[in-house]
């Protein structure tokens, strides 16, 4: 999956600077001015040895099927990459990526697994992103109203810039509502969690978060309460089903392996099966997003194309991002234990009292560096969008830490981000969640290696790159989640399970604030 958070998902980098000014002015500025990406891609080190890219694709049809079964069932995702990295003694090699036959015409990729090689995927002067949001296959446009939405467009395409400007407008139009609507919605969530735990139950954070995320996005972006509309409480379920029809070829659902491989990974689920569900979602946005659609017309985008892009950005990118990131963040913070909880609670409460005058304000949130660092560390260790793809526009050279590799025009590059953001040659204790990793000058310097937003954390989304339009928004609401938790509680305990997407997290204890 290639995104989350209005770009998704792109969404992340420059964090320890003013999030308020970034959300209110930087996003607005990039929607007005066409800026060239600030990313600088250095020339290959002439001292690195030139090496042939190791690996092969096997026999036609048989090789891709074999790799697909290994990826999903025999090894699992991370061991699939690690075993081949060890075998080839290289972080750059050739392999087939799922789903392969019969869904992807060409499953062959060149894998990039370190912090040195991965960033070439952000260089849109050398890498094309057309129709590569989900990788080697593209879901039917019947699932997006007949349109190729922004996530599938390359910056060179004429609709890319106006559609990205539209998302900048969506993010900035009601920025004043973000904090109050977040507190309202997630305050209700935690009150419900408390009640469940008081009754002796384990409170399922994931299910409650799904509903809260959709409610928050609808209220913050469109000033619309889904429960008061014909949508009712059905939004999260409709979205989850719709996403499954798009990402099914990349998921496992726990069915018997060969049955699941036949049903999910070999053929498309028929879009007609969810046409009525998608129509319900589209009608909700048709009724709710009028001012944003009006702005789209001013930008030269048809109202219908704008509608389906707004739906995709809100439901797939933003809701999908919150569905993955928030449970992961609660899991990582919960596992870190009471000592970190105490530090976060002290920082959050001091900042709200001393900077916010007793209120959660943007200035108060900006005065919480440990909270910020903890969010970045969660994005580093478990990036919500782990896979990125790009096709070489011309012959080029890709460099790892140890060698240079020639890539031919038209070849597909694939990066598995967790290996790049846990690169032991960049990060100390790379597999550990270290909440204060990004504090201080040395910590801030590491932010350029946090890549979850389809770009370095130290750079900003523009109309000319593929970095998540909602990058700063995503980081901010993740910080707001921690603010809400530690204003209410001194500590909490969790139980973690598995889930098809993200983590399954249940709250087992919430210790109310005592200071």
């Amino acid at each position: 999956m290639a995104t989350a958070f209005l770009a998704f998902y792109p969404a992340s980098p420059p964090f320890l600077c003013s999030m308020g000014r970034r959300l209110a002015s930087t996003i607005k500025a990039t929607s007005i001015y066409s800026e060239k990406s600030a990313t600088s891609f250095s020339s290959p080190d002439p001292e690195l040895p030139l090496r042939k890219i190791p690996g092969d694709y096997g026999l036609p049809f048989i090789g891709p099927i074999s790799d697909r079964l290994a990826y999903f069932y025999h090894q699992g995702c991370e061991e699939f990459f690690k075993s081949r990295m060890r075998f080839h003694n290289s972080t750059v090699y050739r392999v087939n990526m799922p789903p392969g036959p019969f869904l992807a015409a060409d499953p062959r990729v060149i894998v990039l697994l370190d912090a040195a090689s991965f960033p070439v995927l952000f260089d849109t002067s050398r890498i094309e992103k057309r129709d590569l949001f989900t990788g080697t296959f593209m879901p039917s446009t019947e699932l997006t109203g007949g349109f190729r939405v922004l996530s599938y467009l390359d910056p060179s395409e004429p609709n890319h810039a106006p559609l990205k400007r539209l998302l900048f407008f969506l993010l900035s139009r009601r920025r004043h509502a973000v904090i109050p609507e977040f507190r309202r919605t997630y305050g209700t969530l935690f009150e419900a969690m408390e009640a469940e735990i008081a009754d002796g139950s384990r409170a399922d954070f994931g299910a409650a978060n799904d509903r809260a995320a959709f409610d928050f996005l609808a209220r913050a972006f469109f000033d619309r309460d889904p429960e008061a509309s014909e949508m009712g409480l059905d939004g999260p379920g409709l979205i989850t089903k719709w996403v499954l029809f798009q990402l099914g070829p990349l998921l496992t659902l726990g069915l018997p392996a060969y049955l699941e491989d036949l049903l999910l990974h070999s053929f498309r689920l028929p879009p007609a099966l969810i046409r009525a569900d998608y129509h319900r979602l589209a009608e909700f946005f048709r009724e709710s997003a009028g001012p944003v659609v009006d702005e789209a017309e001013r930008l030269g985008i048809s109202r219908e194309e704008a509608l389906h892009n707004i739906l995709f950005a809100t439901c797939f990118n933003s809701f999908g991002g919150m569905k993955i990131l928030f449970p992961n963040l609660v899991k990582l913070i919960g596992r870190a234990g009471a000592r970190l909880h105490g530090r976060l609670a002290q920082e959050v409460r001091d900042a709200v009292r001393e900077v916010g005058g007793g209120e959660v304000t943007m200035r108060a949130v900006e005065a919480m560096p440990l909270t910020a660092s903890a969010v970045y560390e969660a994005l580093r260790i478990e990036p919500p969008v782990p896979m990125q793809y790009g096709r070489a526009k011309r012959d080029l050279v890709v460099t790892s830490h140890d060698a240079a590799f020639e890539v031919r025009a038209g070849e597909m590059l694939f990066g598995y981000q967790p290996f790049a953001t846990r690169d032991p040659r960049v990060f100390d204790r790379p597999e550990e969640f270290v909440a204060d990793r990004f504090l201080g000058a040395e910590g801030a310097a590491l932010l350029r290696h946090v890549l979850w937003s389809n770009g370095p954390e130290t750079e900003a989304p523009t109309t000319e790159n593929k970095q998540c339009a909602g990058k700063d928004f995503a980081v901010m609401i993740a910080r707001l989640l921690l603010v809400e938790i530690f204003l209410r509680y001194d500590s909490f305990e969790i139980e973690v399970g598995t889930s098809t997407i993200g983590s399954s997290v249940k709250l087992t204890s919430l210790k109310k604030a005592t200071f």
Side-chain angles (χ1 to χ4, degrees), residues 174-499:
R174 285 179 43 82
R175 57 187 177 272
H176 63 280
V178 171
I179 291 177
E181 292 296 355
F182 189 93
R183 298 213 66 204
R184 169 192 172 192
T185 306
Y186 278 83
T188 300
L189 177 149
F190 284 112
E191 288 168 5
M193 299 282 99
E194 286 183 35
E196 285 189 55
I197 292 171
D199 287 342
S201 303
R202 290 169 168 78
D204 186 346
F205 178 79
N209 177 63
D210 282 359
R211 178 178 171 186
F214 186 65
D215 286 352
F216 161 68
L217 292 167
R219 293 166 178 169
F221 289 164
F222 309 112
D223 194 22
R224 187 81 187 277
D225 189 339
E227 191 171 354
S229 73
E230 290 188 10
M231 178 70 67
L233 302 179
D234 296 341
L238 296 176
I239 296 169
T240 299
K241 190 192 303 184
W242 172 64
V243 170
L244 172 63
F245 272 65
Q246 296 176 74
L247 298 184
L250 304 178
L251 302 176
T252 57
L253 302 180
L255 302 173
Y258 289 98
L259 174 63
E260 182 177 82
D261 197 61
L262 177 66
L263 294 178
L264 278 187
H265 306 144
S266 300
F267 304 100
R268 296 179 187 272
L269 295 172
L273 295 179
I274 59 162
R275 188 171 294 144
D277 292 342
Y278 185 74
H279 178 74
R280 287 187 66 193
L281 287 171
E283 283 304 304
F284 175 79
F285 285 91
R286 204 181 305 278
E287 295 167 2
S288 306
V292 187
V293 174
D294 291 342
E295 174 67 10
E297 275 197 312
R298 192 187 70 78
L299 293 170
I301 305 165
S302 75
R303 297 184 70 86
E304 197 65 13
E305 183 171 10
L307 170 73
H308 294 287
N309 273 274
I310 293 164
L311 188 162
F312 192 91
T314 305
C315 296
F316 192 109
N317 296 155
S318 299
F319 173 86
M322 294 173 75
K323 182 180 179 69
I324 297 170
L325 175 59
F326 279 20
N328 283 351
L329 183 58
V330 171
K331 176 189 71 176
L332 292 166
I333 298 292
R335 283 176 169 173
R339 183 178 178 185
L340 174 62
H341 298 175
R343 292 174 65 195
L344 287 167
Q346 188 72 61
E347 177 182 83
V348 166
R349 295 170 201 176
D350 285 351
V352 169
R353 181 175 57 251
E354 297 168 11
V355 181
E359 300 292 333
V360 177
T361 64
M362 188 61 68
R363 287 185 66 246
V365 175
E366 290 169 355
M368 303 175 190
L370 177 61
T371 305
S373 178
V375 168
Y376 281 133
E377 178 69 344
L379 291 166
R380 178 196 72 85
I381 201 165
E382 291 190 358
V385 185
M387 301 180 185
Q388 275 90 28
Y389 289 81
R391 191 176 299 281
K393 290 182 175 180
R394 59 177 184 272
D395 292 352
L396 55 91
V397 174
V398 172
T399 57
S400 68
H401 290 299
D402 301 310
F405 303 88
E406 291 182 337
V407 175
R408 299 302 178 193
E411 289 193 295
M412 180 83 81
L413 298 172
F414 160 78
Y416 185 64
Q417 189 180 139
F419 282 27
T421 55
R422 298 182 210 156
D423 189 330
R425 294 171 73 164
V426 173
F427 293 102
D428 182 43
R429 294 180 291 159
E431 301 293 332
E432 294 182 34
F433 177 79
V434 181
D436 56 6
R437 186 183 298 275
F438 298 103
L439 294 181
E442 289 186 10
L446 290 172
L447 285 173
R448 66 191 177 94
H449 298 292
V450 177
L451 310 171
W452 78 277
S453 66
N454 206 17
E457 192 65 28
T458 48
E459 295 179 10
T462 74
T463 58
E464 294 186 359
N465 65 24
K466 289 300 290 181
Q467 192 161 25
C468 177
K471 163 185 165 292
D472 293 330
F473 172 79
V475 173
M476 183 184 69
I477 60 174
R479 293 165 73 178
L480 287 175
L481 178 65
L482 296 187
V483 169
E484 195 63 32
I485 290 173
F486 289 108
L487 281 177
R488 292 171 172 271
Y489 311 110
D490 288 344
S491 187
F492 64 94
E493 295 176 352
I494 59 169
E495 205 173 72
V496 179
T498 58
S499 176

